[in-house]
Amino acid sequence: MSLRRAIFPGSFDPLTNGHLDIIRRSLPLFDEIIIAVLNNPEKNPMFSVEERCEMLREILSEVEAGKCCLTVDSFSGLTADFAKKKRAAAIVRGIRAISDYEYELRMALMNRRLEPEIETVFLMAAEEYSYVSSNLMKQIFTLGGRVEGLIPALVEAKMREKLKK
Ligand code: ADP
């Protein structure tokens, strides 16, 4: 039987509980999930791709993954190319609201055109995280607002360290 492998691509700058919720929901669906961190220096990220991968690895080591193998990798360029290189059957994406849908639909259709064998699988965000985005978390945290419960404690500690510098 062939392995059901998926990639979950994103910026993860930084990882939020919304991302973790999507990861947890995808675990029973696949044998292997590669969390694929996009190397996007042009977006002026708060964390380097190495820092994002390191945080993900540390946090995911605590996640009860059952039979699913969870790994973290980084990539540059086209998501479809990375998915093909990894011989993934699916690209997982999260949908929070209708506002995500249009962009995600365009990307999914484009990725399907590039790689017709690879399906995009959309999972619905948990209601309690449906307004959570990495950008909002960075903004609120930078302005001194509370983000507890919305991002992992380790991520909050790393953001605090960043702000001190
Ligand atoms: P990108 O820059 O590729 O959108 P993100 O890290 O912002 O990268 O998001 C990666 C994926 O996680 C996207 O599919 C996004 O819709 C999903 N996602 C982000 N935040 C949440 C959340 N709070 N709940 C569910 N899915 C989310």
Side-chain angles (χ1 to χ4, degrees), residues 8-12 18-19 22 43 93-94 96 100 104 125 129 132:
F8 178 34
S11 305
F12 303 102
H19 292 128
I22 294 294
K43 265 198 178 176
R93 295 286 289 177
R96 286 162 288 193
D100 279 340
E104 293 293 341
Y129 304 130
V132 172

Side-chain angles (χ1 to χ4, degrees), residues 8-22 38 40 43 79 92-96 100 103-104 122-126 128-135 150:
F8 178 34
S11 305
F12 303 102
D13 184 45
L15 177 74
T16 69
N17 287 351
H19 292 128
L20 276 178
D21 176 67
I22 294 294
L38 178 64
N40 49 354
K43 265 198 178 176
T79 303
V92 171
R93 295 286 289 177
I95 298 256
R96 286 162 288 193
D100 279 340
Y103 171 77
E104 293 293 341
F122 292 115
L123 296 175
M124 303 308 137
E128 66 261 44
Y129 304 130
S130 61
Y131 60 94
V132 172
S133 70
S134 299
N135 281 340
L150 303 177

Side-chain angles (χ1 to χ4, degrees), residues 21-116:
D21 176 67
I22 294 294
I23 293 171
R24 286 205 177 89
R25 286 173 199 280
S26 17
L27 288 173
L29 305 178
F30 300 100
D31 300 309
E32 185 180 341
I33 302 168
I34 304 168
I35 313 303
V37 180
L38 178 64
N39 190 0
N40 49 354
E42 70 289 346
K43 265 198 178 176
N44 205 8
M46 180 181 239
F47 294 99
S48 70
V49 74
E50 292 78 20
E51 288 171 321
R52 283 179 265 161
C53 287
E54 200 181 302
M55 275 190 272
L56 267 157
R57 288 198 183 99
E58 198 165 335
I59 290 160
L60 292 179
S61 68
E62 309 273 297
V63 168
E64 184 42 72
K67 286 189 186 137
C68 184
C69 170
L70 257 183
T71 58
V72 177
D73 204 344
S74 62
F75 74 107
S76 310
L78 291 175
T79 303
D81 285 348
F82 182 75
K84 185 173 184 202
K85 192 174 103 189
K86 293 292 170 183
R87 289 190 279 125
I91 298 171
V92 171
R93 295 286 289 177
I95 298 256
R96 286 162 288 193
I98 289 287
S99 49
D100 279 340
Y101 176 76
E102 263 191 61
Y103 171 77
E104 293 293 341
L105 177 70
R106 264 187 283 138
M107 291 305 293
L109 292 176
M110 192 64 221
N111 284 334
R112 185 193 273 167
R113 190 186 168 98
L114 293 169
E115 291 301 334

